[in-house]
Structure formats: structure tokens, C-alpha cells
Amino acid sequence: MSAACTIVPLAARPDLVPLVAEWGHATWGHLAPGDTAAKRAGRLKRHLQVDAVPSTIVALDAAGVPVGSAGLLAHDIDGDPRGPWLASVYVVPERRGEGFGKAVVGAIEASAAHAGIALLYLFTPDKMSFYASLGWTAIEARDYRGEHITVMTKRLG
Ligand SMILES: CC(C)(COP(=O)(O)OP(=O)(O)OC[C@H]1O[C@@H](n2cnc3c(N)ncnc32)[C@H](O)[C@@H]1OP(=O)(O)O)[C@@H](O)C(=O)NCCC(=O)NCCS
């Protein structure tokens, strides 16, 4: 993990809602036709709370520059009643490989544990080894929205 990483709740930095929405839309917007960064920003306004579902955290580098984020959602797969879910894990391309991804995942895990959540889910099309290195276990593979995804879980605490 980068020693120079500060994690802040989006609730403490609502000015970053448009930036986090842009990151998410640029990365995953194609999976939801008709979605826009502005609509995503609107949904993120419900994330302005701490250690609760839904919420979002942001990683800042040593200079205070936002470099990544992650979210905690009640549901992340249409029709799947399980949850809550670690979602929207993102680090800006130019700062990958410095530990920020690990930091934002760990921050959501800690926040979920504070909220009394014992088991977290996530799904990923291609980052299984990243999450496995952070203690996550693959429990199923399936097709979803045109992608082959793996559902993973991690027991907290
Ligand atoms: C996945 C992502 C968040 C990783 O962020 P990062 O800051 O580069 O990750 P870190 O530097 O914290 O890496 C943590 C560990 O995972 C490993 N890792 C990082 N990216 C990996 C990848 N794509 N595949 C396998 N392992 C990976 C690192 O080598 C590191 O291992 P180490 O602790 O043994 O050195 C980043 O690449 C990203 O934003 N990708 C685009 C969005 C995305 O795919 N998000 C996940 C959606 S499910």
C-alpha cells in the first residue's frame, strides 16, 4: 500500500462527485446504454454517507490529488438478492500499481465491517487475481450484460 494514501468518504468531499461520476461512466458506462455521467452523479448523491450502504470512498495521493475510488452497494446484479457489494473499484490509469487499488478495497472492507456487514460480494469480468490477492474467493461464474463475470466473496472481521 502507498504510505502516501489518504482515504476520505465522498460525503466529506461532495465536490468530487462529478469527477468520480466521470471515472465510472468512462469505465463502465458502455454496460448501461442510455446512462450518462450526469445520471451517475445523481445516483452518487445517495452515497454521501459514512459506513453505510450505499456509500463511496475516494483515495487522495500525498498532494491531495484524487486518484481512485470504490463503492458499497446494496445490489449490483439485476435480480440477484445477495449483497452488499463492493463495486466501482477504480484507480486512474497513470497511478496504477502504486497500491491505491488495494487501499480503496481495504477501505470499503473496513467501512462495511464498521457497518456490521459480515460478508461482502463483488463481481468482476477480469480482475479475479487482483481480488484473490486481497483475500477474496471466487464462488461462481456466469454471463451478465454481455460479459462473462466471476462472483467473489470475502468474510469480514
Ligand atoms: C484493478 C485496479 C483497481 C487495480 O488498482 P492498482 O492501484 O493498480 O492496484 P494496486 O497497485 O493496489 O495492486 C494491488 C495488488 O494487486 C496486483 N494487481 C493490480 N492490478 C492487477 C491486475 N489487473 N491483475 C492482477 N493483479 C493485479 C498488484 O500487482 C498488487 O500486488 P502486490 O500487492 O503483490 O504488489 C486498476 O487497475 C483499475 O482501476 N482498473 C480499471 C477498473 C477496473 O477494472 N476495476 C475493477 C472492476 S471489477
Side-chain angles (χ1 to χ4, degrees), residues 16 29 73 82:
L16 298 179
L73 298 179
R82 296 173 297 183

Side-chain angles (χ1 to χ4, degrees), residues 29-112:
H30 64 284
L31 297 172
D35 203 16
T36 64
K39 286 183 189 171
R40 188 174 277 264
R43 295 195 296 276
L44 276 175
K45 292 195 175 133
R46 291 187 285 113
H47 288 230
L48 301 180
Q49 50 183 358
V50 177
D51 295 346
V53 183
S55 57
T56 287
I57 54 90
V58 180
L60 309 176
D61 73 5
V65 175
V67 292
S69 62
L72 183 60
L73 298 179
H75 300 287
D76 204 20
I77 295 181
D78 295 341
D80 189 330
R82 296 173 297 183
W85 299 75
L86 167 65
S88 306
V89 175
Y90 178 82
V91 173
V92 294
E94 62 274 22
R95 302 303 298 274
R96 290 177 189 164
E98 296 183 46
F100 292 115
K102 188 174 181 176
V104 294
V105 171
I108 288 291
E109 291 171 5
S111 177

